[in-house]
Amino acid sequence: MGRTGETTTEAANGVRERESPGDGVEVGVFQGNWLVRMWWPEGAIAGGPQRLTVTAVEDAPPGEVRRGISSTVLRRLDIAGAVRRAQALAPQAPPWRIASERLEDLATRTGDVLAAEGVSDRYLARLCGLYDDLARRGVRAPVPWLAERIGRSPQTVRDHLKAARRDGLMTALTGKSGGELTDRARVLLASDPDFPGP
């Protein structure tokens, strides 16, 4: 946990935390003779870790290590607490900071298409492409971000996303932001020379 460019802290409660600017966020928790490392990619942290690694601590008794990881070690993990610590460690800048100029420009141009064409398939495909990109980056509230840049209310953008799903441009994820772009949406985006895609 000590590569160049990282910040590592170890609290008295046995929690190790790491933030590596281009590498995501890692939180480690000691459980008996085991160190459990939980990792999230760079961006907003909206759920559990994407990687979990369990290793024996250096001074663990060999007999304990030979017996391996017990289900008790895994059941005692405080995933919710680790998520909160990872959220506190995550950079405060928007998760799309590297692509922010590109996304801002695409969103503005998508608003221009709406103004020129109305709620067309081209506009809906662009909206879905942007929404999908923001949701994949872990943005918790992509609709208000899009609404501000497109020049419409959040409710209008939600209605447009519902229309896009109804028209077969994007699937729905129950209770979550995002969805998968359909083949139809991908074809529309690929044929739009002014939209390089997310």
Side-chain angles (χ1 to χ4, degrees):
M1 282 208 207
R3 294 185 314 184
T4 306
E6 296 173 348
T7 308
T8 304
T9 59
E10 186 164 349
N13 63 0
V15 174
R16 297 177 81 181
E17 301 168 336
R18 176 179 79 173
E19 177 185 346
S20 176
D23 200 24
V25 175
E26 182 176 278
V27 173
V29 179
F30 291 99
Q31 289 283 349
N33 293 308
W34 304 97
L35 172 60
V36 182
R37 292 183 175 128
M38 293 170 257
W39 179 85
W40 290 261
E42 181 180 16
I45 296 173
Q50 288 190 5
R51 184 171 57 224
L52 188 123
T53 308
V54 183
T55 55
V57 296
E58 287 182 26
D59 59 350
E64 293 290 322
V65 175
R66 271 194 299 278
R67 282 196 288 275
I69 303 160
S70 69
S71 58
T72 303
V73 168
L74 299 176
R75 276 195 310 269
R76 289 184 179 163
L77 287 177
D78 180 11
I79 300 289
V83 168
R84 286 189 298 275
R85 287 192 298 277
Q87 287 170 335
L89 279 173
Q92 297 304 308
W96 58 87
R97 66 183 174 272
I98 294 169
S100 65
E101 285 184 26
R102 180 183 64 89
L103 289 171
E104 293 267 353
D105 182 55
L106 290 175
T108 300
R109 288 191 285 149
T110 298
D112 295 342
V113 170
L114 175 61
E117 300 176 11
V119 184
S120 64
D121 284 349
R122 180 176 175 220
Y123 161 73
L124 290 175
R126 282 174 166 236
L127 180 67
C128 290
L130 285 164
Y131 182 78
D132 176 64
D133 191 10
L134 294 170
R136 280 186 291 112
R137 293 174 188 274
V139 176
R140 288 180 185 259
V143 169
W145 189 90
L146 286 166
E148 181 180 329
R149 282 138 188 98
I150 291 172
R152 296 294 189 268
S153 73
Q155 186 56 52
T156 298
V157 171
R158 279 187 206 91
D159 291 344
H160 291 171
L161 289 167
K162 285 179 191 173
R165 286 185 175 108
R166 189 176 53 246
D167 292 350
L169 295 171
M170 187 167 63
T171 64
L173 294 175
T174 306
K176 291 185 179 181
S177 297
E180 294 290 322
L181 291 176
T182 63
D183 289 339
R184 181 169 176 245
R186 291 181 202 288
V187 167
L188 285 167
L189 290 174
S191 66
D192 186 345
D194 297 325
F195 193 86

